[in-house]
Amino acid sequence: MKALVQAAEVSDTKKETRFRVPVRVNFGERVLIVGNDPALGGWAIEKAVVMEWTEGDMWEASVKISPGVHEFKCVVLKESGVVWEAGENRSVSIPDPADAVEVKCQMWDTTTTFVEKQSSGYLLEDQYYSSSTTSEASALVLEEEEEKLQAKTKSDMETITEPEPDMETTIESSAFAPETEAPSRAFAPETEAPIPDEVEEIAVPEFEFQEMPVEEMDVASDVPTPGTSMPEMGSSMMESVEERVPFDPLNTGTSFSAQPRVMKGLKLVAGGHIIPHEDKVEKGGEDDYFISTVGLGAIGVADGVSGWANDDVDPALYPRALLKYGQEAYEEKGGDMTPQDILAHGQYRAKLLGSSTACVAVMKEGNKLEIANLGDSGFRLLRKGEVLAASEAQEHEFNFPYQLSHPDYVTGGEFAKDSDIYNLDVRPGDVLVIGSDGLFDNLWDCELCQIVQDSLTGLAPCELAAQAVSTAVAIAATQNIDDKEYYSPWTSNATAEAKLRGMMSQMLSDTGLNNPYMGGKMDDCTVVVAFVM
């Protein structure tokens, strides 16, 4: 695609360059940009550019840089020191002519750096940098369209402005205020949406949650065509809110007053990584995870059901709220809480439309690891390079997983008490991997074990090592998606389902392929790795 440019002479004028990095870090930690240019600190951490947190865990910073090729990396400033991205330095070319440049980075993956340039009223071609090589991106996003989207978002959603986050205050999300005029639904922007703290009762069009029997399915639409993924059930799941007894599975209200007790025993030391679906990178995908060091440690993953987008509901909102409130409850009780109760409390507090699968693990005293899994997220417990224990997916039928939702807003969903509970005896050196189905659909267990083992070579178990392993696992899983010669777990399951429905012969005839399901399933991929120590 050729750039749209106006005649201009090359200038030495520095260009306004905005860096954007979507990444979740622990409270009190900061994200920095450091590089070879003096404006980026000249590789000196004490002179690095300190980024500012914005809603949706997007870190941003603007600096003026001279045109030319520059190298840099993203780093995380922790209380214990600085954590650098592994791999080669990032490389970015600041063009001339250009009035402004925006650089987007996928944290922990230095092979991806995305650039947008604006010059003299035109948006130049987007560039995608991979190990210092460039290629044209597939689409242009004009600023005018972004402004229209923001205007539409403001007209459809009211947000409460929170104070600028800093190192001394807890970051709170904006409240979500749906439209009051029924039967319209709140507009779900393509950009990051806030996690609701409190939600007013919503007037919702009357839909019913319907489980479609296999014999009534339109097989042509339910079985994916090559290169697409089987649609997840989840749309048209809403009903009008009725008068009912308030849902409170723990009978606790919204807070705990019990004094936390000191817990002793093995702990979880964890790190996580999310690689969003290629069409959902801008908002960070629709998965979420949490890591808590309170008590003996807890980790969790939630995967929003994508079908809600068909009802103009952002599927990312519910899993984020679910884990946010569950983690808050766990930490308020000092870590003395079961994973099932974490899910129950999150489900009780997340009062909004949407649904999610989830997997939560809590380290308990007595060298016990307790895990609650609902839906097709899951876990693998590894010991000495082999799978010691694994979850089983909970599904109503193929690609229709069990899912949590708030019963005052959605009927037909499951409850935290429906999750499978696993109580495991663990030892120091065991490795726990939890993830969304974007991991387990695209990577076999034997491959997972090998990647974990290889990634740990020369590394001592610590938070940084857990981060590195989770990143390596997520990258490996997503690379399999586009490999049409790779026979993935998704290939196996989708092929078996097509044969069960008597559609495989027709699919082979229509496509001319030996197997139209080769490769993986395009999806968000979330991985959390925890060492038992």
Side-chain angles (χ1 to χ4, degrees), residues 406-426:
H406 198 289
D408 286 351
Y409 294 87
V410 180
T411 59
E414 279 71 44
F415 294 87
K417 64 181 177 62
D418 297 316
S419 58
D420 287 337
I421 306 299
Y422 300 82
N423 288 287
L424 307 173
D425 293 316
V426 292

Side-chain angles (χ1 to χ4, degrees), residues 298-375:
I299 58 177
V301 164
D303 179 1
V305 177
S306 61
W308 280 101
N310 298 329
D311 288 319
D312 292 336
V313 175
D314 186 348
L317 290 179
Y318 187 83
R320 292 172 185 166
L322 177 74
L323 293 188
K324 174 182 186 294
Y325 294 129
Q327 181 182 2
E328 285 179 354
Y330 169 81
E331 294 181 346
E332 195 167 342
K333 289 204 68 177
D336 190 11
M337 199 173 190
T338 69
Q340 191 174 55
D341 283 349
I342 291 175
L343 290 178
H345 196 86
Q347 185 179 22
Y348 160 68
R349 290 289 309 280
K351 299 177 181 179
L352 69 161
L353 292 170
S355 57
S356 175
T357 68
C359 182
V360 173
V362 175
M363 192 69 208
K364 312 293 285 186
E365 292 178 305
N367 299 346
K368 298 287 186 181
L369 181 65
E370 187 172 343
I371 304 174
N373 185 68
L374 188 135

